Amino acid sequence: MIIVGLTGGIGSGKTTVANVFKALGVPIYIADEEAKRLMNTSKVIKRKLIALFGEEAYRDGKLNKSFLAKVIFNDRSHLEQMNAIVHPKVARHFKKWVLKQQNSPYVIKEVAILFENDGHKACDYVITVTAPKELKIKRLLNREENSIKRIEAIMRNQWDDNERVPLSDFVIENIDLENTKEQVLKIHKEITQKIL
């Protein structure tokens, strides 16, 4: 099974790109969604996160996202400790998902911090989605609970496009949806031809 990593900074439009691949019949695994699910359902993860961040990490049995965001995006060591708890479980879940549920020529694993955790080493190809910083911020301000300060804190904890792009096999500049679709089609054809 060919694994294609799909990454990019917050607001770059990874999900938009993933949805275009999905429309082409490519199975998509969204690592951030799985991480959130596991943080709410895994007793082991819950116990470790409470030990790390205190009881406030969960409210009424559910992950207290706003509290955690404040803590981890202002303290890189806390972010790294949380990732060390959650990411290995997500990686194991992804392997099971690939082995038990997929029979497509290739799958896409969408993950925000792929290079930061050496996740690209487990991928056959990597696609990085880029967009100008102003456009990313504009997109993110339309989402709930976002402020420029919070967005910039998250951006500081992610690699810059200048670091991601040289290590990527493909780059999609996601500014205009129609153009993005064309770029996805081209990459889909190229990956499929390499496999077959």
Side-chain angles (χ1 to χ4, degrees):
M1 175 66 64
I2 298 296
I3 311 295
V4 179
L6 176 67
T7 193
I10 185 169
S12 60
K14 293 180 298 297
T15 304
T16 299
V17 170
N19 286 334
V20 179
F21 276 104
K22 191 176 185 178
L24 295 170
V26 181
I28 309 292
Y29 183 93
I30 301 175
D32 288 353
E33 282 181 12
E34 186 55 30
K36 284 174 194 154
R37 188 189 70 76
L38 284 168
M39 289 164 90
N40 276 306
T41 59
S42 165
K43 288 177 183 170
V44 174
I45 289 176
K46 272 188 182 183
R47 192 171 63 245
K48 288 181 177 179
L49 291 180
I50 289 168
L52 180 61
F53 299 113
E55 295 292 331
E56 210 177 334
Y58 288 84
R59 186 176 286 152
D60 301 323
K62 292 277 182 217
L63 190 68
N64 186 347
K65 290 190 281 188
S66 59
F67 166 76
L68 274 182
K70 278 180 200 155
V71 174
I72 63 174
F73 291 119
N74 292 311
D75 183 342
R76 195 175 188 94
S77 70
H78 272 123
L79 175 63
E80 287 167 1
Q81 287 173 291
M82 186 185 80
N83 287 342
I85 292 167
V86 178
H87 287 193
K89 287 246 187 206
V90 174
R92 281 196 293 279
H93 184 268
F94 174 70
K95 277 185 183 172
K96 282 184 192 169
W97 178 82
V98 168
L99 292 170
K100 293 182 178 177
Q101 299 175 28
Q102 307 310 320
N103 60 2
S104 175
Y106 75 98
V107 299
I108 285 186
K109 182 179 185 181
E110 183 204 306
V111 55
I113 50 174
L114 183 71
F115 293 111
E116 293 88 333
N117 293 324
D118 286 335
H120 64 291
K121 293 177 181 175
C123 299
D124 298 287
Y125 300 104
V126 173
I127 301 167
T128 288
V129 183
T130 67
K133 186 177 180 181
E134 306 75 45
L135 181 57
K136 290 179 190 177
I137 290 171
K138 187 179 172 188
R139 288 171 179 164
L140 293 163
L141 286 173
N142 292 331
R143 293 187 197 168
E144 300 170 40
E145 293 182 42
N146 273 332
S147 66
I148 298 252
K149 190 178 173 185
R150 182 172 183 268
I151 292 164
E152 289 184 336
I154 294 168
M155 286 179 167
R156 278 193 302 275
N157 284 297
Q158 295 182 340
W159 277 24
D160 189 78
D161 288 341
N162 295 333
E163 296 171 280
R164 285 188 204 98
V165 168
L167 297 172
S168 302
D169 300 286
F170 305 98
V171 177
I172 293 174
E173 190 177 37
N174 181 28
I175 297 170
D176 167 74
L177 185 57
E178 287 310 308
N179 185 259
T180 296
K181 286 178 181 176
E182 286 173 23
Q183 292 175 76
V184 168
L185 273 170
K186 190 177 170 193
I187 292 168
H188 175 65
K189 271 187 191 167
E190 201 172 322
I191 292 173
T192 307
Q193 284 168 353
K194 285 179 178 182
I195 295 167
L196 302 174

